[in-house]
Amino acid sequence: TRKRALNFYSLANILPDPDIVLRKQGKDMRIYKELLCDPHVFACVQSRKSGVLSLEWDINRGSDKDKNAELVENLLKKLDIQKLISDILDSTQFGFQPLEIMWKKDKSGYILPEKVVAKPPEWFCFDDDNNLKFRTKENYYGEELPNKKFLLAQNNPTYNNPYGERTLSRCFWSVTFKKGSGSSKSFNWQTPSWSNKRGNKFSCRYA
């Protein structure tokens, strides 16, 4: 449907990133990482993350006493859950966050995740079918990912925008103007409302 739609264009089946700030700047999302050098923005991001990480988490398996449920529970206890949650929360800042699963066979013969590593989102793109692809030196337009090798956390993704909503894009110009003025007092700017909210919805699935 998308390929037949009027006014839709793509390059080598790569879905263009609709982010207005990136388009006007002619850059990728690494410019948002530079925003984290601003002490105010960084403090707001850390405050939001700390609020989520301070919450308790548990696995509710109800009355299920199946050994597989115990296996999953023990697996999550071995993983660095706090780091994993923190990495997933980066999707609210950058729109999406790919996470690579490192699989390993244990002594019982099960192939289980040994660790989950967040990878820079600027290394990835989406194709016309909203599938995540990995950009390489050999293939700028992206390669298909191995099955069940990556998790994908997204912040409010839509069919039109699988890249997700980026909270950092909302404060890009405010921070830029503040830097240009040389003083936070000479330019009246406000931190976006998301900095004090922890109710953003995001999804995490196999890429």
Side-chain angles (χ1 to χ4, degrees), residues 135-151:
R135 281 177 165 160
T136 66
K137 294 179 180 178
E138 295 78 18
N139 190 347
Y140 176 79
Y141 299 109
E143 299 177 355
E144 293 186 3
L145 301 178
N147 187 35
K148 296 184 178 180
K149 179 63 174 173
F150 281 85
L151 293 174

Side-chain angles (χ1 to χ4, degrees), residues 96-99 121 123-127 129-135 142-146 150-154 162-163 205-207:
F96 70 101
Q97 176 59 64
L99 303 114
W123 291 359
F124 298 82
C125 59
F126 289 88
D127 64 16
D129 296 318
N130 290 2
N131 296 315
L132 188 69
K133 304 187 77 173
F134 176 54
R135 281 177 165 160
E143 299 177 355
E144 293 186 3
L145 301 178
F150 281 85
L151 293 174
L152 176 62
Q154 295 169 283
Y163 292 91
R205 60 178 176 82
Y206 279 117

Side-chain angles (χ1 to χ4, degrees), residues 161-177:
N161 182 19
Y163 292 91
E165 293 183 2
R166 298 174 176 130
T167 52
L168 287 176
S169 70
R170 304 296 193 272
C171 61
F172 176 81
W173 293 114
S174 296
V175 177
T176 300
F177 292 152

Side-chain angles (χ1 to χ4, degrees), residues 89-145:
L89 288 174
D90 283 340
S91 64
T92 63
Q93 303 170 49
F94 303 109
F96 70 101
Q97 176 59 64
L99 303 114
E100 185 175 4
I101 306 174
M102 307 300 181
W103 299 94
K104 183 179 180 181
K105 182 180 289 187
D106 67 3
K107 296 180 181 179
S108 302
Y110 291 104
I111 300 178
L112 302 171
E114 181 181 26
K115 57 183 178 179
V116 182
V117 182
K119 295 302 174 73
E122 62 267 21
W123 291 359
F124 298 82
C125 59
F126 289 88
D127 64 16
D128 289 343
D129 296 318
N130 290 2
N131 296 315
L132 188 69
K133 304 187 77 173
F134 176 54
R135 281 177 165 160
T136 66
K137 294 179 180 178
E138 295 78 18
N139 190 347
Y140 176 79
Y141 299 109
E143 299 177 355
E144 293 186 3
L145 301 178

Side-chain angles (χ1 to χ4, degrees), residues 52-55 57 79-87 89:
V52 176
L53 293 172
S54 64
L55 300 175
W57 67 273
L79 294 176
D80 189 346
I81 293 297
Q82 291 292 95
K83 179 66 167 61
L84 177 58
I85 295 175
S86 178
D87 290 338
L89 288 174

